[in-house]
Amino acid sequence: MIKINENYLKLQAGYLFPEISRRVKVFQDANPNADIIKLGIGDVTLPLPPAVIEAFHHAVDEMADAKTFHGYGPDQGYPFLIEAIIANDFAARNVDIAPSEVFVSDGAKCDTGNIQEIFGIDNVIAVTDPVYPVYVDTNVMAGRTGPAENNGRYGKIIYLPCTPQNNFVPELPQQPVDIIYLCYPNNPTGAVATKEALTQWVQYARANKAIILFDAAYEAFITDPDIPHSIFEIPGAKEVAIEFRSYSKTAGFTGVRCAYTVVPQELKAYTTSGEPIAVNKIWSRRHSTKFNGVSYPVQVAAAATYTEKGRPQVRQLIDYYMENARVIRTQMEEFGYTVYGGTNAPYIWIETPDGVDSWHFFDQLLQEANVVTTPGSGFGSAGQGFIRISAFNSIENVKAAMQRINKI
Ligand code: MLT
């Protein structure tokens, strides 16, 4: 008899964003004339920058000619992209990254979800609360968490509350943990972590032989010059951290798919007998066994984001969404809401009026304003009493959504 992986039965309801889509569909079917504005999932709406399109087209043409055709690419990604990544994302910030430390992939969601596979099942996981659901769900699937409790939390996970009181940057855990997921600029709260805060975490990880899984998918949205873009800007971080980056939100690649993960050579995890093992080697083994790389045209397109023509065009995209974020933040404040985020991140985290339940306020905004947001409780129990508004849409839609919200 074929057995199912029963860990999947421990997962809470559906994945957050399909559940939102389901509710929106029910509403749209019942109200076919409703003009719904989507500020829920962080999905970009502007087209790819012209320099990216040009490079993409050219690479597709190369695939049409036997002389320039590309089959399987190098396991970790084409050197032209890896070199551009190192020069622009790291060397420019005085961070020393070697080509062997960069792994090009099809998304930070996949990488942050898959990385847990290479670590032992009995590691203690710490996540922030609220948190991007992928970190938790993939550990549930792997069997690292135990069943869900009544409050939706999993017994074996250590939750680190992120609240207005700690500026949405968690305090160090009271008990030893082995794997810590941090995402800054933060999804969903829009908060950032200072150099001092990240230094504390790096020191904690070094002292406890733990690993920090640092999701920096939103680093391009940082406007404050003092906020680190990479955890590797913190001395000693290469011994204890893995960093995830993505072109999705930065350069409009949500439908194109390209990202990368940096696994330093110095980073070690241990066997039960205490023997240090290079994590880079293990991730490389996993990557080359389970993944055949990002297509050549997509890697060429990603490399075009770093060219002289591409860079300012990418910056324009980011500035456009950050202007949306500014409009959302200032308008919601004017309407009397308590508002966080939106200055170094494309997400605005808003307290629900009178502390009403997140899903309740989500439904009210959908039904009365026809605006889709994301309920904070979908990111964890500390997200209860908040909603997240995404800045990814046109400025016209953002302004229209604000007017409608003001009316209710
Ligand atoms: C979000 O809205 O949180 C993101 O778009 C989800 C993702 O990047 O997978």
Side-chain angles (χ1 to χ4, degrees), residues 44 47-49 52 246-253 305 314 317-318:
V44 291
L48 295 169
V52 168
S246 169
Y247 299 94
S248 283
K249 317 295 157 94
T250 312
F253 274 53
T305 64
V314 167
L317 288 186
I318 294 164

Side-chain angles (χ1 to χ4, degrees), residues 31-43:
N31 303 274
N33 295 326
D35 171 25
I36 296 175
I37 299 177
K38 294 186 177 166
L39 302 177
I41 190 165
D43 192 5

Side-chain angles (χ1 to χ4, degrees), residues 15-17 40-43 108-109 132-134 187-188 217-218 248-249 254 257 347 374 379 388 390 392:
Y15 181 60
L16 175 62
F17 294 105
I41 190 165
D43 192 5
K109 179 180 186 172
Y132 179 46
V134 170
N187 178 14
Y218 298 93
S248 283
K249 317 295 157 94
T254 54
R257 310 308 309 150
Y347 295 126
T374 307
F379 297 102
R388 189 194 76 177
S390 146
F392 294 112

Side-chain angles (χ1 to χ4, degrees), residues 313-330:
Q313 294 170 359
V314 167
R315 181 40 50 196
Q316 248 182 331
L317 288 186
I318 294 164
D319 290 348
Y320 183 94
Y321 294 126
M322 287 311 284
E323 171 59 13
N324 287 354
R326 190 193 64 76
V327 169
I328 297 168
R329 190 167 39 79
T330 51

